[in-house]
Amino acid sequence: MPTDIANLHTETMTLNMGPQHPSTHGVLRLVLELDGETVLRVTPHVGYLHTGMEKQAESKNYYKFIPTTDRMDYLAPMSNNLGYCLAVEKLLNVEIPLRAQYIRVLIAELTRISSHLVWLGTHAMDLGAQTVFLYCFREREKFLMLQEFLCGARLTASYVRIGGLMLDLPEGFLDAAKTFSDEMNAHIDEYEALLTRNPIWLRRTQGVGVITREQALDMSATGPTLRGSGVDWDLRKARPYSSYDHFDFDVPLGSKGDVYDRYQIRVEEMRQSVRICQQAIAKMPGGDYRSRDWKYVIPPHEDVAHSMEALIHHFRLVTEGFRPPVGEAYHAIESPKGELGFHLVSDGGANPYRCHVRGPSFVNLQALALMCEGRLVSDLVAAIGSIDIVLGEVDR
Amino acid sequence: MIHLLDNMLIRAAVQGLMIISIMLGCVTFLVWTERKVAGHIQLRIGPERVGPFGLLQTIADVIKLFMKEDITPSSANKVLYTIAPMLAVIPPMTSFAVVPVWSQFALADFNIGILWVLAFTSLSVYAIVLAGWSSNSKYSTLGGLRATAQMISYELAMGLSILPILMWSGTLSLREIVLLQQRHLWNIAVLPFGPIAFLLFLICAIAETNRAPFDLPEAEAELVAGFATEYSSMKWSFFFLGEYAAIMTGCAVATSLFLGGWGGPFVDQVPLLGIVYFVAKVFALIFVFMWVRWTFPRFRYDQLMGFGWKFLLPATLGTLVLGAICMTVFPGFYHQFYGR
């Protein structure tokens, strides 16, 4: 008797992808409903790296939260420092000297390059191009050396401080940074030679993980995920902070909103970051590296040794911190992943009453289901990579 | 002793053991080569601590694998789960038997050598399918399914890519094919179909051995380790062994079919040179396998199938037709330039 194929009983398969899976970039857990290899439904489960950072902020004074921000998006610690400090400075209304602002721009862009390098390497590795990963890490290592040169830490920088920076640039840093950024374009060419026109890469990324302009806006996606869909929104241009308006750079835009567009945007962003770095190095002004408002900024040692007033400021700042006026402030920066915002509420005490972080990875992750439902498991991997999530920031 | 070796069965057994041990030795060396090649492509240095130039690294790894716990999932089909890794090693080793290593030696030299190779190559899919199915794990199942589809489609194209060469040589014996090439020109140089057939065969061979960019059954980023997810210890290393043995066999067959086998200058005067040429050619091809693996991204499942059916199959058929037309329409040309 011939089998009636239409009446065959079939069922979907539920596959638990992660939290320990090679391409969920950390501890993301996805519950997939599969029909063969087709993904019918994606349910992300987050929280495996939850450390309650926002709550921790409420029991620390404003200064002491800076090292915690390093650990959010651990691929771009100095961007997190910057976002947080800008929010506190907005609350306090402190003026930042131009030199500090330029240094902040310089390190934020170096951080962007480094973060994109990790993204490119892991994304390419997810799609099977393993060698790109090590090429990218070669340059990332150079950046980490630079960061170590700058502040002594390779991962947890805490270099940006409220009212300025931890220290002035060390002697010779600008030359080292100039060498790094001058060489970078040639290295980006190398990565592109392996990927940009590679037919397999094109097949794996073009038309995959598409989100339209409207969908991207609905999902409040930011950063390259949003710009890949053609929305011209970059906080460095739209709401310039830290004198980004003094610099000349372009914001690359995609048109189709697929994985390939997001790839090209990030690669181009690296080149633009190199441009910004070169300008910042060339135009680096003299002056102070931090505000001289000793009510909020720890006074230098030599002052403490000679001036009674400085000693009192130092003592108060170190023992209990400062007390900003009652109010709230939100400040967002264009982090490598997208809009990284800090919302601080002050009740006039030494600790924030509430600190909310708008993490771009967390928000962008919402778009994952839109990108890959109805497509193949391999596309899911490509889509996760193209959103560029860091679980430290998703879970906080 | 001499009497014993006269006995055909015992002689075959001794030769077989020799081939197996040489192949195992080569596999250890290949793993080291792969890691060194990958290392240098990726700006690293690869293994260098165990033994001179890290040559003993693989031995150390094998010892480590022996020590590891041999896990069988409680829900697995235990018989098939145990048989699958064995099946992974047997076909490539067996098909190597017909490859003429040099003018004086091929373990089994019979007139249908190519068919033997093709038949055993197609058996190796069972190892992966059974491993995927018997593990009773979801990732393994997906890997097994992918392997079935992939190997069946690429086997077809592989068989077809050889056909023009068989037509050209008029024999199915690998030894005969090599001898013909030695007398005239390597098959890869027979224009216009030789180079095309070689390229197509190489692509199919990479796909048949599940190497990147066709390593979908074990695509790490998607299926963790695919069909091998649940395997550990020596069972796992058997798959590894099978993969490298398959690479070696594939490259050896390609060498015999297209690159003149053991042939080379002065091989008639010094027959032992044949082994050197053969090994050199095989390793050059293996290097290409490695080079490709560490350079390209991975295909997607449907693209892989599309590539196999919509490009490779028509291309191999086209080469076959092209070869047939050329040989029939311009016999004079081939006689003049290739002596046949």
Side-chain angles (χ1 to χ4, degrees):
Chain A
M1 218 174 93
T3 322
D4 190 357
I5 291 179
N7 291 335
L8 270 179
H9 174 68
T10 63
E11 50 186 83
T12 57
M13 178 164 89
T14 308
L15 183 68
N16 192 24
M17 192 171 171
Q20 65 289 68
H21 184 282
S23 53
T24 51
H25 292 245
V27 286
L28 175 65
R29 176 177 162 224
L30 301 169
V31 176
L32 310 179
E33 199 183 321
L34 296 181
D35 176 15
E37 288 237 3
T38 313
V39 178
L40 298 180
R41 194 165 42 226
V42 187
T43 319
H45 289 251
V46 297
Y48 287 87
L49 211 59
H50 181 70
T51 45
M53 286 179 185
E54 292 178 6
K55 193 71 187 166
Q56 283 179 45
E58 294 168 21
S59 54
K60 288 181 159 122
N61 71 36
Y62 287 87
Y63 253 110
K64 290 182 182 165
F65 189 59
I66 297 175
T68 313
T69 61
D70 283 335
R71 288 149 176 87
M72 284 177 185
D73 177 357
Y74 42 75
L75 298 179
M78 295 200 281
S79 291
N80 306 340
N81 298 160
L82 179 60
Y84 173 70
C85 290
L86 283 171
V88 179
E89 284 154 10
K90 202 172 194 176
L91 201 61
L92 300 173
N93 222 349
V94 193
E95 275 293 309
I96 309 297
L98 196 63
R99 180 175 173 83
Q101 293 192 11
Y102 271 51
I103 296 176
R104 284 174 169 192
V105 167
L106 173 63
I107 58 161
E109 293 309 313
L110 286 174
T111 304
R112 187 183 314 277
I113 294 174
S114 143
S115 168
H116 281 359
L117 281 174
V118 178
W119 157 80
L120 179 60
T122 50
H123 185 42
M125 192 155 73
D126 286 346
L127 298 187
Q130 311 203 10
T131 300
V132 181
F133 177 76
L134 283 121
Y135 277 37
C136 290
F137 267 60
R138 172 186 57 187
E139 271 69 61
R140 179 171 188 254
E141 184 61 30
K142 290 182 195 158
F143 165 77
L144 290 179
M145 300 291 274
L146 269 184
Q147 187 175 315
E148 196 180 353
F149 188 10
L150 185 68
C151 59
R154 285 162 61 88
L155 189 67
T156 50
S158 301
Y159 179 65
V160 183
R161 297 292 166 87
I162 296 160
L165 304 161
M166 177 176 88
L167 289 167
D168 203 353
L169 293 178
E171 211 171 298
F173 179 82
L174 281 181
D175 294 332
K178 185 163 167 39
T179 318
F180 174 79
S181 42
D182 287 349
E183 286 172 357
M184 200 57 216
N185 271 330
H187 291 310
I188 298 172
D189 289 340
E190 276 178 26
Y191 319 140
E192 284 214 89
L194 279 168
L195 299 176
T196 304
R197 280 187 303 279
N198 182 325
I200 305 179
W201 181 260
L202 294 178
R203 281 169 178 231
R204 284 302 303 276
T205 54
Q206 281 183 335
V208 170
V210 177
I211 45 166
T212 62
R213 192 189 157 88
E214 287 69 34
Q215 283 172 330
L217 289 170
D218 285 350
M219 289 285 153
S220 42
T222 48
T225 313
L226 176 71
R227 292 193 286 274
S229 303
V231 184
D232 189 3
W233 181 254
D234 184 322
L235 287 170
R236 293 175 295 173
K237 287 273 191 204
R239 309 263 163 81
Y241 51 90
S242 263
S243 55
Y244 259 110
D245 43 351
H246 297 189
F247 297 93
D248 183 25
F249 63 98
D250 302 323
V251 177
L253 290 180
S255 52
K256 299 187 199 70
D258 57 7
V259 174
Y260 188 67
D261 274 358
R262 295 193 276 279
Y263 158 76
Q264 283 208 309
I265 283 176
R266 290 204 180 86
V267 170
E268 184 54 33
E269 275 188 11
M270 280 198 262
R271 293 189 195 277
Q272 296 300 329
S273 293
V274 169
R275 263 178 84 190
I276 300 175
C277 288
Q278 285 167 337
Q279 293 171 43
I281 294 165
K283 294 199 289 191
M284 185 61 70
D288 223 335
Y289 65 91
R290 41 124 168 70
S291 157
R292 304 190 72 85
D293 194 341
W294 306 135
K295 260 156 71 187
Y296 306 119
V297 180
I298 296 179
H301 270 284
E302 49 275 25
D303 285 12
V304 175
H306 297 115
S307 141
M308 189 63 197
E309 211 176 319
L311 182 66
I312 293 171
H313 282 309
H314 188 278
F315 181 75
R316 290 215 44 186
L317 280 174
V318 172
T319 51
E320 71 161 22
F322 49 78
R323 293 171 182 273
V326 179
E328 50 187 287
Y330 176 80
H331 196 285
I333 63 160
E334 186 71 29
S335 90
K337 315 277 183 301
E339 178 180 335
L340 172 67
F342 285 82
H343 184 196
L344 291 165
V345 181
S346 162
D347 58 354
N351 302 348
Y353 174 75
R354 173 83 172 93
C355 167
H356 170 74
V357 184
R358 187 221 183 264
S361 295
F362 177 71
V363 181
N364 290 349
L365 189 58
Q366 294 183 103
L368 182 66
L370 275 180
M371 285 181 190
C372 41
E373 280 179 358
R375 306 199 58 111
L376 297 172
V377 180
S378 314
D379 293 339
L380 172 74
V381 172
I384 297 175
S386 76
I387 300 177
D388 190 16
I389 49 166
V390 165
L391 266 295
E393 185 188 77
V394 172
D395 294 343
R396 289 192 296 281
Chain B
M1 199 62 196
I2 296 159
H3 291 295
L4 272 178
L5 281 180
D6 281 345
N7 184 323
M8 235 183 73
L9 272 178
I10 292 178
R11 198 176 142 158
V14 169
Q15 285 181 335
L17 274 177
M18 254 172 61
I19 283 281
I20 288 177
S21 36
I22 290 173
M23 274 193 89
L24 288 180
C26 282
V27 166
T28 6
F29 181 64
L30 271 190
V31 175
W32 175 84
T33 322
E34 169 107 65
R35 293 179 65 174
K36 275 288 185 193
V37 168
H40 285 282
I41 288 180
Q42 299 181 336
L43 318 159
R44 303 181 282 116
I45 41 178
E48 59 144 13
R49 293 300 166 103
V50 191
F53 307 107
L55 267 169
L56 300 179
Q57 180 66 48
T58 323
I59 313 275
D61 286 344
V62 172
I63 294 172
K64 180 200 76 178
L65 281 166
F66 260 119
M67 304 296 178
K68 289 233 168 181
E69 188 189 351
D70 185 18
I71 301 166
T72 308
S74 52
S75 56
N77 183 327
K78 302 209 171 41
V79 178
L80 292 180
Y81 186 82
T82 316
I83 291 177
M86 303 180 193
L87 280 181
V89 183
I90 295 168
M93 295 253 179
T94 319
S95 43
F96 197 86
V98 294
V99 177
V101 181
W102 60 304
S103 51
Q104 314 296 315
F105 182 74
L107 185 58
D109 171 31
F110 43 82
N111 53 0
I112 51 157
I114 281 291
L115 293 184
W116 174 271
V117 170
L118 289 178
F120 272 93
T121 320
S122 47
L123 275 183
S124 54
V125 68
Y126 284 104
I128 296 179
V129 173
L130 289 180
W133 184 78
S134 67
S135 302
N136 205 0
S137 139
K138 289 169 181 173
Y139 286 116
S140 306
T141 313
L142 284 176
L145 286 176
R146 284 182 175 190
T148 327
Q150 174 179 341
M151 295 180 87
I152 288 173
S153 0
Y154 278 76
E155 206 175 271
L156 209 60
M158 187 163 147
L160 283 173
S161 68
I162 297 178
L163 275 188
I165 298 308
L166 298 185
M167 221 159 57
W168 172 241
S169 313
T171 170
L172 284 169
S173 153
L174 274 171
R175 189 185 159 78
E176 290 291 315
I177 293 175
V178 173
L179 282 174
L180 275 174
Q181 292 182 73
Q182 220 172 315
R183 242 174 277 142
H184 310 293
L185 259 181
W186 291 1
N187 283 339
I188 190 181
V190 180
L191 294 172
F193 55 88
I196 308 174
F198 175 67
L199 210 63
L200 293 173
F201 179 79
L202 213 59
I203 294 175
C204 295
I206 294 177
E208 275 289 300
T209 46
N210 293 325
R211 301 263 308 173
F214 306 103
D215 60 340
L216 288 140
E218 47 182 329
E220 185 195 322
E222 295 147 32
L223 302 183
V224 190
F227 65 89
T229 308
E230 302 295 337
Y231 279 91
S232 66
S233 186
M234 279 316 275
K235 284 200 189 112
W236 176 81
S237 67
F238 263 52
F239 284 111
F240 209 60
L241 185 69
E243 183 186 320
Y244 280 95
I247 295 167
M248 228 158 59
T249 309
C251 290
V253 171
T255 305
S256 308
L257 281 177
F258 295 95
L259 300 181
W262 72 80
F266 305 115
V267 87
D268 291 333
Q269 289 80 20
V270 194
L272 264 176
L273 261 182
I275 295 189
V276 178
Y277 288 137
F278 182 77
V279 170
K281 286 172 190 171
V282 170
F283 268 85
L285 279 184
I286 289 175
F287 175 74
V288 173
F289 270 50
M290 293 174 178
W291 190 8
V292 166
R293 170 170 178 188
W294 298 108
T295 307
F296 287 117
R298 181 183 299 119
F299 272 104
R300 202 173 65 196
Y301 176 59
D302 57 328
Q303 291 164 351
L304 177 94
M305 298 304 287
F307 183 69
W309 289 100
K310 291 180 192 159
F311 172 74
L312 274 182
L313 198 61
T316 44
L317 278 172
T319 320
L320 179 63
V321 173
L322 180 71
I325 291 175
C326 290
M327 281 174 236
T328 335
V329 180
F330 313 108
F333 169 81
Y334 284 100
H335 187 74
Q336 193 183 343
F337 284 95
Y338 300 105
R340 247 182 274 173

